[in-house]
Amino acid sequence: MIPLPRIDPPLINASGILSYPEVFTAFESAGACLGGYVTKSVGPREKPGNDNPVVVYPPDGAVLNSLALPTQSAEDWERDLEEIKLKKAKLIVSVYGGDSLEFAEVTGRMSRFSDAIEVNLGCPNKEPGEQTIMESIGQNPALSAEVIERVRGETDKPVIAKLSPNSDYLAVAESCMNAGADALGCGNTLGPGLAVDIRSRAAILAGTTGGISGPALKPVNLRMTYEAYARFRCPIVAYGGIETWEDAVEYILAGASVLGIGTAFMRKSTHEAAALTREIWEGIQEYLDGEPMSAIIGAAHRSAEGGGSHA
Amino acid sequence: MIPLPRIDPPLINASGILSYPEVFTAFESAGACLGGYVTKSVGPREKPGNDNPVVVYPPDGAVLNSLALPTQSAEDWERDLEEIKLKKAKLIVSVYGGDSLEFAEVTGRMSRFSDAIEVNLGCPNKEPGEQTIMESIGQNPALSAEVIERVRGETDKPVIAKLSPNSDYLAVAESCMNAGADALGCGNTLGPGLAVDIRSRAAILAGTTGGISGPALKPVNLRMTYEAYARFRCPIVAYGGIETWEDAVEYILAGASVLGIGTAFMRKSTHEAAALTREIWEGIQEYLDGEPMSAIIGAAHRSAEGGGSHA
Amino acid sequence: MRSVFKVVENRRESEWTHTIFFDAEIESQPGQFMMVWLPRLGEKPFTLSYPNAVTVKKAGAFTENLAALAPGDEIGLRGPLGQGYPPLKKPALIGGGVGIAELRLLALASEEPSFVLGGRTADEILFYEEFRELGPVHVATEDGALGHKGLVTELLPVEADSYAVCGPERMMAACLPKLPAERTYFAIERYMKCAVGLCGQCTCSGWRVCTDGPIFPAAAVAQMDDFGKRRRSKSGKWETI
Amino acid sequence: MRSVFKVVENRRESEWTHTIFFDAEIESQPGQFMMVWLPRLGEKPFTLSYPNAVTVKKAGAFTENLAALAPGDEIGLRGPLGQGYPPLKKPALIGGGVGIAELRLLALASEEPSFVLGGRTADEILFYEEFRELGPVHVATEDGALGHKGLVTELLPVEADSYAVCGPERMMAACLPKLPAERTYFAIERYMKCAVGLCGQCTCSGWRVCTDGPIFPAAAVAQMDDFGKRRRSKSGKWETI
Ligand SMILES: Cc1cc2nc3c(=O)[nH]c(=O)nc-3n(C[C@H](O)[C@H](O)[C@H](O)COP(=O)(O)OP(=O)(O)OC[C@H]3O[C@@H](n4cnc5c(N)ncnc54)[C@H](O)[C@@H]3O)c2cc1C
Ligand SMILES: Cc1cc2nc3c(=O)[nH]c(=O)nc-3n(C[C@H](O)[C@H](O)[C@H](O)COP(=O)(O)OP(=O)(O)OC[C@H]3O[C@@H](n4cnc5c(N)ncnc54)[C@H](O)[C@@H]3O)c2cc1C
Ligand SMILES: Cc1cc2nc3c(=O)[nH]c(=O)nc-3n(C[C@H](O)[C@H](O)[C@H](O)COP(=O)(O)O)c2cc1C
Ligand SMILES: Cc1cc2nc3c(=O)[nH]c(=O)nc-3n(C[C@H](O)[C@H](O)[C@H](O)COP(=O)(O)O)c2cc1C
Ligand code: FES
Ligand code: FES
């Protein structure tokens, strides 16, 4: 297995959040405490994604998005990534395609720019008429394995298989790990969910339904992280509702070694968002109190084994 | 198909909330605006369920529970239900079992007390060592159909198949409808999810993970309601994060004809809970402004068809 | 509120009873309760005896563990939960067993309290010295080691403007007919699971003790057929009290 | 805030421009924007011209629909979003095209404003009479029908304590070198999707216009290589401005 690059601090943005290289540079210049940046998922061909509205945020911590993977062409992404000038943060390129060949093609083009490749197996959004990746590939262990195998053939960088919480993810993860994945991404958005406007009686999102992110997702992706760590003891990049250092520590104790932040940046200016990343990292460090982070990764498992029964 | 009994107002509690006949009576005496009550899921044999803690409520509207279906024996439930004296509300008995024969056995015993039978196909909780219903039956369309068929054979009351949002629920629903279900329950809890205490580094729930209810669940079960209505145009009993009349109306527009309230009763005394049911029902009536509720059931679909594209 | 605190002191009150102090003061109304969580061991209901302590009688595995906590150990708390006592004028506080401890914060919050306390033996009359400084204390012990030899109910009626009763349910049931319904409050115990009104487990004649109680006016208690008679066990099956 | 309101008036301002009034007053800082939702048709960014109205220039399918709304129709609003103007002393408000409408609330909130407005023709100089009551108004029209014949930039520099510029990006880019960087603000437009800082779509040299803007100080704008040159289209592909 190829180890993940050293991501220090072990905080990154989530794919599809911030998205573009120049935004990463702005975050770096604003002093964001992110040891790595993940691009928007790069697809093979230009695609505008769904029309607006693409987000809706009901009260109580759930955000629904139906962006449906807009992308410029892989060639245009190459041009973008040639321009990028990150000072010390690592770059992770997220890739997707309609089938394993497309995943491989995009990976082949992106590999030289990236410190790791994240394979998006779990986006639950689609444009009208499309099948989602989750439906067409991400729920199917065999097809997911085929994707990872082909991606593996196109890159010598570590490969992160990013899973959907809506699938039988342990089965998918198992076949991805066997096919050569080096780490798991736990995970993409939940659902999808629906929001209806009661005055106009219409679904609010143009794409009707949207993947759920934010605090509402945390318990589910935390469990995914916990179960994946118990099964594979591999590096895990965790995503889902991380807003505070306490959230981050919960994920680390469950088994995560890298933490991705997405929805928590909502409504924050670049300087506010950068301050948030610093707060989270400082909180983690205070919690660690000098211990290395590796000492507590998965600690919730050790205590589950050590400590008595459910008396 | 056997029509659902007239549940008026079309509000009920969710199974496992309030749970016991004497609590229903207390609610009725406190003036609760519930046209029906659903028992805790009744199983064939006494079973204590998980140890405490059985609930944890992180901030932001998600509640995790890991009760794991405690139940007295079906005989003891018979004795309980003989005592019950509801004035005008209907009684729905929720049933479960380890296999289709057990489901049928419990249904056979409960049928005479009930105005409808709700079949719990979706609880994601289990005691250590058990398989969940969701894993063993609720995710499998053929086994779910077998359960509904056997239940159907034991009762002439309408049968509600209550689905899990974590399954391929349209496939399960399809086979349940073909096997004789009269209505769908959309749906049970999500996930399950995990919560870790960062100070003691332990999972908080004694059952480790717990099904997610409350506002965090709403977008998912709303989508389930929407999709189930689009496909089957059958009566739907909706559950998931209904806290306000607006939530209820969203579900009605998506396709629900009966609304179940669970987590919204959290931390409320009987009088406060009863007041909440009145507020919800009054809000729905004001929204209806004289129209019958049937006129707006599924209205979000009509407008989706009528109104243009995602321009 | 859900938090994990550190134990700072374990004070032995009697052979069976310990007060566990922790490093936080909880604001609560007397009569409300906390769910005490011991990571990996369980979670059960207790009433605060101090803003920063619970007094625990060993009754089984969980309370054995709780009563054995040492300084530095972790104790999780969720709450305060439920309905406490209304403000009481010159109350007689009637307690039996560890129920006496549950009356301590009420005593401190009340003007001119008096006490009627019962236990098997002198050892069980918790906070005896402290209560004597607050008002008159009448005691009954089954072995006669302190005060009247016999049951606490034999000391009733007593003169007071209001009454609060906390103790074993059969003792409370015996008190019910002896006290004025409109000025008396009872602290009911039931097996608790969720403790927030969801699961219905804690029902006493349909009233959920965790959210409608644990403190109920006597007039309401008088209407509860189950009071003093039966309760639901962990599975929901009825058991006799 | 996300709500659906009813249209109460559609006021034609010019051949291409309508002001749509609705039955709610939104509190916002001048310069912040709203996402306007037409159920089943789409959602796009607009700045309030009144607390209860947006002024819309027909530019495509969505704005055609918006400009055609009639009293009683539904209009959804999400916001206010983004960063508005700081309080400005004696500002010169420099507007082009429908950008003039976006300056109206700023004009009302400012002391002693003056105006420098440009358009293709007299019709496009929105709120001309109203602004004349607030302060001196300098106008440039391409066809010479009102004021100076030519571009608004040809009227610059003008004397003022501060400057706010809102108009087509090429016009704003032409203004940039003519105005003092430390006292000037620009309103940048980009294609918006989420409008809450998540998707990155609205980047101008890495600064997300929806949350870092839309109002930026000129000093920041001067550092933005993309300003006046390129922006990301709906797919993320660069397009030239
Ligand atoms: C509102 C309330 C306040 C309480 N306050 C105090 C207090 O301040 N001090 C104190 O010592 N005790 C108090 N109790 C009782 C205490 O909760 C039980 O003694 C304790 O749960 C016993 O647990 P165990 O595992 O040690 O014993 P077990 O062997 O499990 O049971 C012993 C007895 O405790 C009861 N019990 C067990 N689990 C629960 C539960 N989850 N909820 C309620 N009862 C249970 C059982 O019914 C049984 O009668 C209170 C109970 C309630 C309901
Ligand atoms: C912060 C901000 C405030 C604005 N305020 C106003 C205002 O007060 N009045 C007004 O008339 N216009 C305003 N606009 C511009 C307005 O949003 C566009 O004119 C409108 O979106 C065009 O939509 P359309 O479908 O009619 O045209 P289209 O045919 O889709 O496009 C016409 C032009 O509008 C741009 N556009 C389309 N969709 C968007 C979008 N989602 N976000 C940004 N630009 C888009 C396109 O890039 C194109 O240049 C504002 C834009 C921004 C970013
Ligand atoms: C607006 C938006 C766009 C997203 N786009 C992508 C994407 O392109 N690729 C991907 O793998 N995940 C995408 N996601 C999922 C996130 O990367 C992340 O897994 C998820 O949002 C959970 O993290 P959060 O709760 O911190 O947002 C997107 C999420 C949001 C909210
Ligand atoms: C404490 C608790 C216990 C539950 N027990 C059951 C049960 O026994 N049977 C069942 O079908 N659903 C059970 N559920 C699920 C609810 O009936 C309901 O489907 C779900 O909680 C969503 O509704 P809500 O968000 O309003 O709570 C339980 C939920 C909770 C929170
Ligand atoms: S313990 Fe659950 S309702 Fe009281
Ligand atoms: S529009 Fe999404 S970040 Fe600005």
Side-chain angles (χ1 to χ4, degrees):
Chain A
M1 285 204 331
I2 308 169
L4 283 185
R6 193 170 149 68
I7 295 174
D8 181 24
L11 303 176
I12 62 177
N13 66 303
S15 177
I17 317 285
L18 313 185
S19 301
Y20 297 106
E22 72 273 22
V23 183
F24 306 160
T25 320
F27 263 60
E28 227 187 20
S29 78
C33 234
L34 297 179
Y37 290 90
V38 191
T39 64
K40 176 93 200 133
S41 292
V42 175
R45 272 174 309 281
E46 189 182 359
K47 171 169 128 58
N50 268 322
D51 287 306
N52 285 351
V54 291
V55 293
V56 54
Y57 34 96
D60 298 305
V63 170
L64 275 55
N65 93 77
S66 65
L67 285 167
L69 300 175
T71 184
Q72 50 186 343
S73 67
E75 293 87 330
D76 285 334
W77 272 106
E78 286 180 296
R79 242 165 272 141
D80 258 16
L81 294 176
E82 256 148 23
E83 273 189 34
I84 196 174
K85 14 183 197 290
L86 288 171
K87 287 208 197 71
K88 60 176 272 274
K90 298 294 190 296
L91 184 70
I92 300 169
V93 180
S94 169
V95 300
Y96 81 92
D99 58 29
S100 61
L101 292 170
E102 289 186 357
F103 271 94
E105 183 206 328
V106 177
T107 303
R109 286 177 180 277
M110 293 299 127
S111 181
R112 67 191 166 105
F113 303 107
S114 62
D115 296 301
I117 293 285
E118 183 174 87
V119 182
N120 179 356
L121 295 170
C123 178
N125 300 317
K126 57 182 171 185
E127 294 179 42
E130 275 187 334
Q131 259 209 317
T132 67
I133 293 176
M134 182 186 115
E135 287 163 350
S136 61
I137 298 172
Q139 253 168 6
N140 184 318
L143 291 177
S144 297
E146 187 187 309
V147 165
I148 296 296
E149 214 171 277
R150 287 235 157 88
V151 162
R152 176 77 292 160
E154 296 290 335
T155 184
D156 50 3
K157 305 292 169 61
V159 170
I160 306 161
K162 184 174 177 188
L163 309 167
S164 164
N166 312 302
S167 60
D168 183 358
Y169 50 75
L170 288 179
V172 175
E174 175 104 45
S175 60
C176 288
M177 292 306 286
N178 290 338
D182 305 296
L184 295 172
C186 298
N188 218 300
T189 52
L190 181 70
L194 173 71
V196 172
D197 175 66
I198 63 171
R199 186 137 175 197
S200 62
R201 301 181 179 179
I204 296 171
L205 294 170
T208 307
T209 61
I212 298 167
S213 64
L217 167 60
K218 196 185 92 177
V220 176
N221 282 9
L222 189 63
R223 154 182 151 249
M224 191 202 280
T225 301
Y226 186 89
E227 292 179 351
Y229 186 84
R231 176 85 74 95
F232 306 105
R233 304 269 156 170
C234 67
I236 291 175
V237 185
Y239 304 100
I242 299 177
E243 293 193 324
T244 64
W245 68 264
E246 288 96 335
D247 295 328
V249 169
E250 273 194 75
Y251 272 107
I252 298 168
L253 296 171
S257 43
V258 179
L259 294 315
I261 303 171
T263 301
F265 292 140
M266 187 162 89
R267 306 209 58 176
K268 292 202 167 54
S269 71
T270 300
H271 288 283
E272 290 163 348
L276 175 69
T277 62
R278 288 193 298 272
E279 266 168 45
I280 292 176
W281 180 229
E282 281 160 19
I284 295 172
Q285 285 176 296
E286 265 177 52
Y287 179 88
L288 285 170
D289 198 19
E291 264 190 303
M293 192 170 116
S294 58
I296 69 158
I297 293 172
H301 297 265
R302 286 196 286 283
S303 64
E305 291 148 17
S309 71
H310 307 138
Chain B
M1 286 205 328
I2 308 168
L4 283 185
R6 192 170 150 69
I7 295 174
D8 181 24
L11 304 177
I12 62 178
N13 67 302
S15 176
I17 317 285
L18 313 186
S19 301
Y20 297 105
E22 72 274 22
V23 182
F24 307 159
T25 321
F27 263 60
E28 225 186 22
S29 78
C33 234
L34 297 177
Y37 290 90
V38 191
T39 64
K40 176 93 200 133
S41 291
V42 174
R45 270 174 310 281
E46 189 184 359
K47 170 169 128 61
N50 268 322
D51 286 306
N52 284 350
V54 291
V55 294
V56 54
Y57 33 98
D60 297 306
V63 170
L64 275 55
N65 92 77
S66 65
L67 285 167
L69 301 174
T71 184
Q72 51 186 341
S73 67
E75 293 87 329
D76 285 334
W77 272 105
E78 285 180 298
R79 243 165 271 139
D80 257 16
L81 293 175
E82 257 149 23
E83 273 190 33
I84 195 173
K85 16 184 196 288
L86 286 172
K87 287 209 196 71
K88 61 177 272 274
K90 300 293 189 297
L91 184 71
I92 300 169
V93 180
S94 170
V95 300
Y96 81 93
D99 58 29
S100 61
L101 292 170
E102 288 186 358
F103 271 95
E105 182 206 329
V106 177
T107 303
R109 287 176 179 278
M110 293 299 127
S111 180
R112 68 191 166 104
F113 303 106
S114 63
D115 296 301
I117 293 286
E118 183 174 87
V119 181
N120 180 356
L121 296 169
C123 179
N125 300 318
K126 56 182 171 186
E127 294 179 43
E130 275 188 336
Q131 259 211 316
T132 67
I133 294 177
M134 181 185 116
E135 288 163 350
S136 61
I137 298 173
Q139 253 168 7
N140 184 317
L143 291 178
S144 297
E146 188 186 309
V147 165
I148 296 296
E149 216 171 275
R150 287 234 157 87
V151 161
R152 175 78 292 160
E154 295 291 334
T155 184
D156 51 2
K157 304 293 170 61
V159 170
I160 305 162
K162 184 174 178 189
L163 309 167
S164 164
N166 312 303
S167 61
D168 183 358
Y169 51 76
L170 288 179
V172 175
E174 175 104 46
S175 60
C176 288
M177 292 306 285
N178 290 338
D182 304 297
L184 296 172
C186 298
N188 218 300
T189 52
L190 182 70
L194 173 71
V196 172
D197 175 66
I198 63 170
R199 188 139 174 196
S200 62
R201 301 184 178 176
I204 298 171
L205 294 170
T208 309
T209 61
I212 298 167
S213 64
L217 168 60
K218 195 185 93 179
V220 176
N221 281 9
L222 190 62
R223 153 182 152 251
M224 191 201 280
T225 301
Y226 186 89
E227 292 179 350
Y229 186 83
R231 176 85 75 94
F232 305 106
R233 304 269 155 170
C234 66
I236 292 175
V237 185
Y239 304 99
I242 299 177
E243 293 193 323
T244 64
W245 68 263
E246 289 96 333
D247 295 329
V249 168
E250 274 194 76
Y251 272 106
I252 299 168
L253 295 171
S257 43
V258 179
L259 292 317
I261 303 171
T263 302
F265 291 140
M266 186 163 88
R267 307 207 58 174
K268 293 202 166 53
S269 71
T270 300
H271 288 282
E272 290 163 348
L276 175 69
T277 63
R278 289 193 297 271
E279 266 168 45
I280 293 177
W281 179 229
E282 281 160 19
I284 296 172
Q285 284 175 299
E286 265 178 52
Y287 180 88
L288 285 169
D289 198 18
E291 265 190 303
M293 192 171 116
S294 58
I296 69 158
I297 293 172
H301 297 266
R302 287 195 286 283
S303 63
E305 291 148 16
S309 70
H310 307 138
Chain C
M1 197 278 305
R2 228 208 108 260
S3 271
V4 175
F5 301 107
K6 284 227 181 296
V7 171
V8 294
E9 187 191 339
N10 179 333
R11 188 180 297 169
R12 184 180 183 285
E13 306 281 359
S14 78
E15 192 185 340
W16 299 101
T17 317
H18 291 242
T19 299
I20 309 296
F21 291 87
F22 38 82
D23 62 353
E25 304 233 321
I26 315 272
E27 230 181 279
S28 73
Q29 290 160 26
Q32 288 188 301
F33 67 101
M34 308 295 297
M35 290 300 276
V36 172
W37 178 50
L38 297 182
R40 290 174 285 274
L41 290 175
E43 190 198 42
K44 308 236 168 177
F46 295 87
T47 305
L48 295 170
S49 52
Y50 296 76
N52 60 339
V54 288
T55 299
V56 182
K57 180 168 176 189
K58 291 184 252 180
F62 185 83
T63 42
E64 289 280 358
N65 274 290
L66 181 54
L69 289 184
D73 285 348
E74 281 161 349
I75 181 168
L77 294 174
R78 170 161 71 97
L81 299 165
Q83 318 287 338
Y85 297 95
L88 295 184
K89 271 181 59 187
K90 296 194 193 163
L93 308 186
I94 304 165
V98 74
I100 296 174
E102 300 181 37
L103 290 168
R104 185 179 174 278
L105 286 179
L106 177 63
L108 293 178
S110 301
E111 274 172 45
E112 298 183 43
S114 60
F115 300 85
V116 186
L117 310 177
R120 273 179 308 134
T121 175
D123 205 32
E124 280 195 358
I125 309 300
L126 302 167
F127 308 124
Y128 179 63
E129 294 303 335
E130 187 178 359
F131 286 170
R132 290 225 295 181
E133 297 187 5
L134 297 174
V137 181
H138 313 278
V139 171
T141 51
E142 288 174 40
D143 65 1
L146 190 71
H148 170 78
K149 180 171 195 302
L151 298 174
V152 73
T153 39
E154 291 159 14
L155 301 176
L156 299 182
V158 295
E159 251 329 295
D161 286 0
S162 61
Y163 302 85
V165 193
C166 183
E169 194 154 323
R170 276 149 56 124
M171 167 209 135
M172 295 198 293
C175 292
L176 183 59
K178 301 196 170 190
L179 296 169
E182 61 305 343
R183 293 180 282 135
T184 300
Y185 296 84
F186 288 91
I188 299 187
E189 283 190 15
R190 282 294 180 273
Y191 195 98
M192 291 200 180
K193 292 197 162 187
C194 72
V196 286
L198 291 177
C199 68
Q201 172 65 42
C202 61
T203 163
C204 183
S205 284
W207 304 94
R208 289 158 302 143
V209 169
C210 66
T211 39
D212 290 320
I215 308 308
F216 289 95
V221 175
Q223 304 292 315
M224 296 176 179
D225 293 340
D226 292 348
F227 181 70
K229 298 210 186 66
R230 62 173 190 173
R231 62 186 174 202
R232 291 193 181 270
S233 70
K234 198 178 175 192
S235 68
K237 186 183 170 72
W238 289 112
E239 61 183 27
T240 311
I241 287 174
Chain D
M1 197 280 305
R2 226 209 110 260
S3 272
V4 175
F5 301 107
K6 283 227 181 297
V7 171
V8 295
E9 187 190 340
N10 178 332
R11 188 180 296 169
R12 185 182 183 282
E13 305 282 359
S14 79
E15 194 184 341
W16 298 101
T17 318
H18 291 243
T19 299
I20 309 297
F21 291 87
F22 38 80
D23 62 352
E25 305 233 321
I26 316 272
E27 230 180 279
S28 73
Q29 290 159 25
Q32 287 189 301
F33 69 101
M34 308 294 297
M35 290 300 276
V36 173
W37 178 50
L38 297 182
R40 289 172 286 272
L41 291 175
E43 189 198 42
K44 307 237 166 175
F46 295 87
T47 306
L48 295 170
S49 53
Y50 296 76
N52 60 340
V54 288
T55 299
V56 183
K57 181 168 175 189
K58 290 184 252 181
F62 185 83
T63 42
E64 289 280 357
N65 275 290
L66 181 53
L69 290 183
D73 285 349
E74 281 161 349
I75 181 169
L77 295 175
R78 169 161 72 97
L81 300 165
Q83 317 287 337
Y85 297 94
L88 295 183
K89 272 181 56 187
K90 297 193 193 163
L93 308 184
I94 304 165
V98 74
I100 296 173
E102 300 181 37
L103 291 168
R104 185 180 174 278
L105 286 179
L106 177 63
L108 294 178
S110 301
E111 274 172 46
E112 299 184 45
S114 61
F115 300 86
V116 186
L117 310 176
R120 272 179 310 134
T121 174
D123 206 31
E124 280 195 359
I125 310 300
L126 302 167
F127 309 125
Y128 179 63
E129 294 303 333
E130 188 179 358
F131 285 171
R132 290 226 295 181
E133 296 187 4
L134 298 174
V137 180
H138 313 279
V139 171
T141 52
E142 288 174 41
D143 66 0
L146 190 70
H148 170 78
K149 180 172 195 303
L151 299 174
V152 74
T153 40
E154 292 158 13
L155 300 177
L156 299 182
V158 294
E159 251 329 294
D161 286 1
S162 61
Y163 301 85
V165 193
C166 184
E169 194 154 323
R170 277 149 57 125
M171 166 209 136
M172 294 198 294
C175 292
L176 182 59
K178 300 195 169 189
L179 297 168
E182 64 300 348
R183 292 179 284 134
T184 299
Y185 296 85
F186 288 91
I188 299 188
E189 284 190 16
R190 281 296 180 273
Y191 195 98
M192 290 199 180
K193 292 196 163 188
C194 73
V196 286
L198 292 177
C199 68
Q201 172 64 42
C202 61
T203 162
C204 183
S205 283
W207 304 94
R208 288 158 301 143
V209 169
C210 67
T211 39
D212 291 320
I215 308 308
F216 289 95
V221 174
Q223 304 292 317
M224 295 177 181
D225 294 340
D226 293 347
F227 180 70
K229 297 210 185 65
R230 63 174 191 173
R231 63 186 173 203
R232 291 193 181 272
S233 70
K234 198 178 174 191
S235 68
K237 186 183 169 72
W238 290 111
E239 60 184 27
T240 311
I241 287 174

